[in-house]
Amino acid sequence: MNQYVTGAVIRELREKSKMTQQQLADLLGVSDKTVSKWETGKGYPDITLLEPIADAFRISVTELISGNTIHNENVSANMLRSKFYVCPVCGNAIHSMGEAVIQCHGVTLLPAEAEATDENHVTMIERIEDEYFVRIDHEMTKEHYISFIAAVSADGIQMVKLYPEGNAEARFKIRGVRKIFVFCNRDGLFTIDVVKGVDDRDRSHDDTEERRELEETAKKLFG
Ligand SMILES: [Fe+2]
């Protein structure tokens, strides 16, 4: 870590916590002048104060030093709230169960905002036996391509990396998959709910046929 807590961060956190300089000073056992000095960049808090300062704002020391407050109290609650971080320099894609501070190639990555798939990134989901076959109608040139597809369920993720000159497609085990995420190197992250994207006609047709067959067999067997 190459940063130390800055005055701007302390001020921002203090104001967010609706504390006065005096109130923060009292909590830390310093004077309000000292707090004011930190906030105006005329001094740094001693390292022994980092933990008390973090405690005062109810954040971790790491968050305090990075200047990024992470609100992910429900990290384990739902994978469907997954975040994807993609490095604009190397294309490295990182999946996170909640918000995180991630750096790659010296860039602090922002979580990609997922938009609904648009007309340039039409995503087709077909159910083939126990798999979803996902295909995007999109060019796959070095300049403009789909770099990964991910299938997310409430408790898991399957991620497939794609490459230029390859096909914009991937297969995923069905296993409760609810959302598909598609990342285009130029246009960013898109998402579609599986129920919306899947070829419903075929699926319900198959299910009905199967059920009918089973019912008929049962009738024959058990009257
Ligand atoms: Fe695109």
Side-chain angles (χ1 to χ4, degrees):
M1 229 162 296
N2 54 8
Q3 268 175 304
Y4 196 69
V5 62
T6 64
V9 167
I10 294 179
R11 165 163 290 181
E12 195 191 317
L13 290 166
R14 179 178 61 76
E15 286 172 353
K16 245 193 229 168
S17 309
K18 298 198 166 61
M19 258 186 248
T20 63
Q21 288 185 339
Q22 185 64 60
Q23 284 168 323
L24 178 61
D26 289 346
L27 275 176
L28 302 173
V30 298
S31 71
D32 60 336
K33 264 190 195 154
T34 306
V35 172
S36 165
K37 263 191 205 167
W38 300 338
E39 291 188 357
T40 51
K42 288 176 189 144
Y44 285 112
D46 185 79
I47 195 156
T48 58
L49 283 171
L50 289 190
E51 215 170 307
I53 293 172
D55 285 349
F57 299 134
R58 295 171 198 276
I59 60 173
S60 68
V61 172
T62 310
E63 288 169 288
L64 179 66
I65 291 174
S66 71
N68 262 296
T69 47
I70 308 160
H71 301 285
N72 54 354
E73 290 140 27
N74 286 324
V75 161
S76 59
N78 201 335
M79 288 286 286
L80 296 167
R81 292 196 207 112
S82 285
K83 304 266 178 217
F84 295 92
Y85 294 81
V86 184
C87 175
V89 180
C90 68
N92 188 10
I94 299 123
H95 165 258
S96 170
M97 285 185 257
E99 276 190 37
V101 179
I102 295 169
Q103 292 194 343
C104 191
H105 279 89
V107 182
T108 300
L109 307 179
L110 294 170
E113 287 275 342
E115 286 170 40
T117 50
D118 63 11
E119 67 274 16
N120 296 318
H121 301 83
V122 174
T123 302
M124 281 143 298
I125 306 167
E126 211 182 322
R127 188 175 169 158
I128 300 176
E129 292 172 358
D130 62 341
E131 288 182 324
Y132 283 131
F133 176 60
V134 178
R135 190 167 63 81
I136 300 106
D137 193 8
H138 195 278
E139 66 175 271
M140 290 293 276
T141 59
K142 265 184 210 153
E143 293 75 33
H144 190 185
Y145 67 103
I146 301 299
S147 69
F148 70 82
I149 309 176
V152 179
S153 65
D155 61 1
I157 176 169
Q158 305 167 63
M159 202 163 162
V160 175
K161 174 88 185 99
L162 303 179
Y163 298 91
E165 315 304 337
N167 293 330
E169 60 186 43
R171 284 169 189 273
F172 301 98
K173 291 279 168 215
I174 286 176
R175 284 200 295 247
V177 166
R178 299 256 302 276
K179 273 174 189 259
I180 299 289
F181 288 91
V182 169
F183 191 83
C184 165
N185 73 318
R186 282 213 178 155
D187 303 301
L189 189 65
F190 296 93
T191 185
I192 184 166
D193 289 349
V194 165
V195 276
K196 268 187 214 153
V198 103
D199 194 337
D200 257 336
R201 242 180 341 173
D202 270 359
R203 193 178 52 163
S204 58
H205 178 73
D206 282 345
D207 284 353
T208 321
E209 279 287 299
E210 257 172 54
R211 211 174 302 131
R212 217 176 277 150
E213 272 175 34
L214 281 172
E215 278 169 8
E216 271 170 22
T217 316
K219 247 186 221 164
K220 272 181 207 158
L221 283 173
F222 308 111

